[in-house]
Amino acid sequence: MSVPSSTILPRSNLISDDADEMPDFDGAAEILRAWGAGLTPDADLTVSQWADRHRMLSGRASAEPGRYRTARTPYMAEIMDRLSPGDPAQRIVFMKAAQVAGATHFLWSRADAHEVLDVLVIDEAAQMSLANVLAVAQSAKALILLGDPQQLDQPMQGTHPDGTGVSALEHVLSGAHTISDDEGLFLEETWRLHPEICRFNSELFYDDKLHSVEGCELQEIRGGGSLAGTGLRFLPVEHSGNQNSSFEEADAVAGLVEEVLSGEPTWIDREGQENPLTLEDILIIAPYNAQVFEIQQRLPGARVGTVDKFQGQEAPIAIYSMATSSHADAPRGMEFLYSANRFNVAISRAKCVAVLVASPRVFEAECRTPRQMQLANAFCRYLELSQSIKRR
C-alpha cells in the first residue's frame, strides 16, 4: 500500500516577511489589502446586528425602502437573533409574517388585480356563486374555497336561470354532503356540539364524518327543569291555520324559558367549569320575522332572531320555533320551511341542548316527489332521536 506524499512548494515572491521585498507593480497594494481582508474573521454579529449594517430593502418589497432598521420592528430582534450562529437554541420554529388584504369580489375581479396575490381565500364559498368565484380567481396564483354547503345558501334576489344560484363549493361537491379526500380537506371536528347533538347533525348532513372534540361531552345543563341534561328535545304544540307566526308556540317558548331559568340553573362548559345559566345563554330561533316579533313581545331582552341572524353564533341552549301549522300552511313552500340547511344551522347553535317547538302536523307532510321526501326526512329523524317534553 503506497503512502501519499506531499510536495513543498516554493514560497511565493508575492508575500515576504521583509517589507523591503514587497512587490512593486500597479495594484499590488490593493491585492494585498483584499487578501488580508479575506483572511480577517467575520465580525461576531447577531443576525439583527448584521441586518442593521448590511440589509437593504427594495421599493418593491417594502413600503419603507432603504437600509433595514431593527428599531423599526423591535419585536423581530429576538426572533432574528435566535438564528445567530452563537445562539444556544437547538430547535427553531419560524413563522413568517405575511401581508393580508380583505375585500369583496368587486375589487379582486378588476383587470388591474390580475395575479397580485399569491393566495386568495374565499370565505363562505358556499354562499358565493360560481360566476363570482371565476371572476375573482384571476387575482391569485392559488385559490382556497372555505365554507360549509350544508349551512345557509347565498342570498338570492330576483329571478335567475336554473343552476346559476349554485355556489362554487356545490359545483365542486356535485351533490355530495362532504368533500372527498382527493379534492379537499373536510374539517371533521366541532368545538361546540355535545356528542348527542353532533350525532344527529353528522348523520343527516355530514355523512357521519363530524365528531365533537374531547371535552364537549362534559357540557350539560344542571337544574334546568325539562331541559336538564343534554341532547335533543321536542316540544309539541297543537295549533292550526298558522302560516308565519303562532302565538301558541310563542307562549310555549316563553313558558319553557321561564321554567328553565327558575331555580338558579347552571351549565358546564367543555373545560368542566360550572357557570350560571341566564337568559343570555339561550338562543331562540324562528324561520319568520313575524314569529320573532311574537316571541320578543313575551321575552323582552332575550336573544331572538331568524336563522340568518344567528349563523355563526352559539349558546348552551338553542330553541327553534317553526310557527307554521302544517306543510300546507307554509307561506314560502316546503323548500323554505323544511330546508335542511336552515334546520342544520338552527340545531347546531346548541352546545348542550337543542329544542324543536312545532305543531305535530309538521311531521305529517304529504310528500309527492323524492325531493319533498328528502326535505321532510331530517325532521322525521329528529323526532325519532329526540326526547319529547310537555308544555307547562
Side-chain angles (χ1 to χ4, degrees):
M1 180 173 171
S2 61
V3 178
S5 60
S6 61
T7 303
I8 300 177
L9 299 177
R11 185 180 179 87
S12 170
N13 290 331
L14 181 62
I15 304 170
S16 172
D17 295 332
D18 190 345
D20 294 336
E21 297 183 13
M22 290 292 291
D24 185 15
F25 58 85
D26 290 342
E30 287 76 7
I31 292 175
L32 285 173
R33 278 195 295 270
W35 180 79
L39 294 180
T40 303
D42 292 335
D44 187 14
L45 302 175
T46 64
V47 171
S48 63
Q49 291 171 335
W50 181 93
D52 283 332
R53 289 192 187 186
H54 305 292
R55 186 180 180 189
M56 300 295 292
L57 301 176
S58 70
R60 184 175 181 180
S62 173
E64 298 180 9
R67 185 173 296 281
Y68 177 85
R69 293 174 294 151
T70 303
R72 185 68 180 82
T73 54
Y75 55 86
M76 289 293 295
E78 184 176 358
I79 299 173
M80 296 169 68
D81 289 345
R82 288 296 183 182
L83 299 172
S84 303
D87 192 272
Q90 297 295 313
R91 183 168 180 247
I92 299 171
V93 178
F94 183 66
M95 298 180 66
K96 183 180 181 295
Q99 291 183 329
V100 179
T104 66
H105 60 276
F106 291 105
L107 175 64
W108 302 126
S109 59
R110 291 171 44 153
D112 56 358
H114 180 68
E115 292 193 352
V116 298
L117 304 173
D118 293 317
V119 179
L120 177 63
V121 179
I122 299 180
D123 191 20
E124 296 293 358
Q127 295 189 23
M128 193 168 182
S129 69
L130 179 62
N132 286 341
V133 170
L134 291 176
V136 301
Q138 57 92 34
S139 65
K141 301 177 181 67
L143 191 66
I144 297 176
L145 302 180
L146 181 64
D148 184 357
Q150 302 308 314
Q151 298 206 6
L152 294 186
D153 301 324
Q154 65 172 334
M156 296 285 290
Q157 292 183 344
T159 302
H160 305 277
D162 289 341
T164 56
V166 178
S167 71
L169 269 181
E170 288 177 290
H171 276 281
V172 173
L173 292 178
S174 300
H177 284 167
T178 57
I179 197 162
S180 61
D181 293 339
D182 60 337
E183 290 183 313
L185 175 66
F186 175 70
L187 303 180
E188 59 188 16
E189 293 180 329
T190 170
W191 293 70
R192 175 189 302 150
L193 305 179
H194 186 278
E196 291 182 21
I197 303 173
C198 180
R199 193 173 301 116
F200 167 75
N201 290 80
S202 181
E203 175 188 335
L204 270 294
F205 310 113
Y206 300 107
D207 299 332
D208 282 324
K209 295 180 180 179
L210 187 68
H211 62 269
S212 304
V213 298
E214 184 177 355
C216 286
E217 73 282 357
L218 301 177
Q219 298 175 161
E220 67 170 324
I221 305 298
R222 291 183 176 176
S226 55
L227 298 190
T230 61
L232 308 177
R233 303 286 193 278
F234 171 54
L235 176 57
V237 179
E238 293 284 352
H239 55 85
S240 62
N242 293 325
Q243 296 187 339
N244 58 3
S245 67
S246 166
F247 71 86
E248 297 92 345
E249 286 190 23
D251 288 341
V253 169
L256 179 62
V257 171
E258 291 169 1
E259 177 214 336
V260 169
L261 295 181
S262 63
E264 299 182 353
T266 61
W267 73 281
I268 310 299
D269 61 26
R270 69 168 180 266
E271 304 298 329
Q273 300 296 316
E274 188 168 9
N275 310 277
L277 184 71
T278 67
L279 186 60
E280 184 69 17
D281 297 314
I282 302 175
L283 286 185
I284 305 172
I285 310 166
Y288 309 107
N289 283 312
Q291 183 66 1
V292 170
F293 177 77
E294 287 284 350
I295 298 172
Q296 286 175 334
Q297 293 294 100
R298 292 158 175 79
L299 292 170
R303 298 171 66 186
V304 188
T306 62
V307 177
D308 307 77
K309 176 181 178 179
F310 287 130
Q311 176 161 273
Q313 298 188 41
E314 60 185 25
I317 298 174
I319 301 173
Y320 186 39
S321 172
M322 295 189 68
T324 305
S325 297
S326 68
H327 77 282
D329 295 307
R332 297 172 62 177
M334 284 190 66
E335 285 285 345
F336 183 83
L337 181 63
Y338 293 83
S339 167
N341 297 62
R342 305 181 76 82
F343 192 38
N344 180 26
V345 173
I347 300 304
S348 63
R349 300 309 93 199
K351 295 181 179 180
C352 306
V353 175
V355 186
L356 178 63
V357 181
S359 164
R361 291 196 294 159
V362 166
F363 301 91
E364 300 171 1
E366 296 179 5
C367 300
R368 295 184 173 87
T369 66
R371 174 58 181 166
Q372 290 178 340
M373 293 175 63
Q374 183 183 35
L375 289 171
N377 179 59
F379 288 84
C380 294
R381 183 58 175 156
Y382 182 96
L383 191 61
E384 292 175 347
L385 297 177
S386 63
Q387 175 186 341
S388 183
I389 56 179
K390 294 182 180 181
R391 181 179 177 182
R392 297 183 182 181

